[in-house]
Amino acid sequence: TIDGSDNNDQDVGVRRQGFTVAIPQNIESINEFQITTLLADAEAGRNIGAQVNVVSRSGETALHGQIYDFFTDSSLNARDFFDIAPFRTFRNSDKSPFTRNQFGGSLGFPIIKNQLNFFAAFEQQDINTAQTTHFSVPTLAERQKATTLVSSNLLGRDLLELFPLPNNVGGPYRDNTF
């Protein structure tokens, strides 16, 4: 909840049996938060399990604001273990490109002193990354061998059927590349 009001996306919650936030709350707009994990009060109601209530900030008695930026780039990190150098199409680099920039700010001020205040906050996140396009899957021979091992186990056989057949024998995982 935000300030005691429901903040769950009911459509997503019903389909996926979990809840997602309908209105994301900027970290700068939070004054306090409360987490109730067991035996919630009647006012929390509705669900068993944890209840989270976020209390929003209100305006300021004087002009107050701040801006921030969290920046991450692949040049600041080690190479990803799953990067396969010979099959990369990146710019003369041994790492996948990855840039994440999360920035925002807040502003509060009085409109009528000690009576009416204004507060606003915003946040944006930009991510630039490469998408993994090759995956390792069992070959037909490996699939047949595994099928004989798990033939009595229906769950094992069903799980094996979830893997697609390889379709790119020249890929980074050789015969196992999908």
Side-chain angles (χ1 to χ4, degrees):
T1 58
I2 295 179
D3 297 326
S5 298
D6 189 18
N7 189 32
N8 293 307
D9 186 340
Q10 300 297 332
D11 292 334
V12 173
V14 172
R15 286 195 306 263
R16 296 184 187 158
Q17 298 305 310
F19 290 96
T20 59
V21 175
I23 302 169
Q25 191 77 6
N26 178 337
I27 194 74
E28 292 298 321
S29 67
I30 297 174
N31 190 37
E32 68 178 84
F33 65 93
Q34 305 153 339
I35 301 175
T36 306
T37 58
L38 183 63
L39 301 173
D41 296 336
E43 69 183 52
R46 194 177 94 160
N47 297 345
I48 20 180
Q51 304 286 330
V52 179
N53 183 39
V54 175
V55 178
S56 299
R57 287 175 61 183
S58 61
E60 302 285 334
T61 56
L63 178 63
H64 179 78
Q66 53 192 351
I67 59 173
Y68 60 90
D69 185 16
F70 301 114
F71 177 75
T72 302
D73 189 79
S74 57
S75 62
L76 304 172
N77 299 328
R79 184 182 67 81
D80 185 357
F81 175 79
F82 297 103
D83 281 347
I84 301 168
F87 299 96
R88 234 180 259 107
T89 58
F90 311 125
R91 292 172 268 146
N92 299 329
S93 172
D94 64 338
K95 295 188 281 188
S96 304
F98 175 80
T99 303
R100 178 176 178 263
N101 193 17
Q102 180 178 349
F103 58 92
S106 64
L107 178 67
F109 57 87
I111 295 175
I112 300 173
K113 193 147 183 96
N114 297 327
Q115 292 181 12
L116 182 62
N117 299 327
F118 173 82
F119 179 81
F122 76 95
E123 183 174 275
Q124 182 168 336
Q125 181 175 345
D126 294 328
I127 297 177
N128 177 20
T129 185
Q131 186 78 21
T132 302
T133 57
H134 296 98
F135 302 94
S136 178
V137 295
T139 63
L140 191 56
E142 292 168 342
R143 197 182 285 262
Q144 289 169 345
K145 187 182 283 187
T147 301
T148 59
L149 293 173
V150 297
S151 61
S152 62
N153 185 341
L154 296 175
L155 177 62
R157 193 176 69 223
D158 290 344
L159 286 174
L160 191 59
E161 290 297 318
L162 293 175
F163 288 96
L165 290 171
N167 62 0
N168 184 7
V169 294
Y173 302 110
R174 314 284 187 270
D175 294 341
N176 296 77
T177 303
F178 173 77

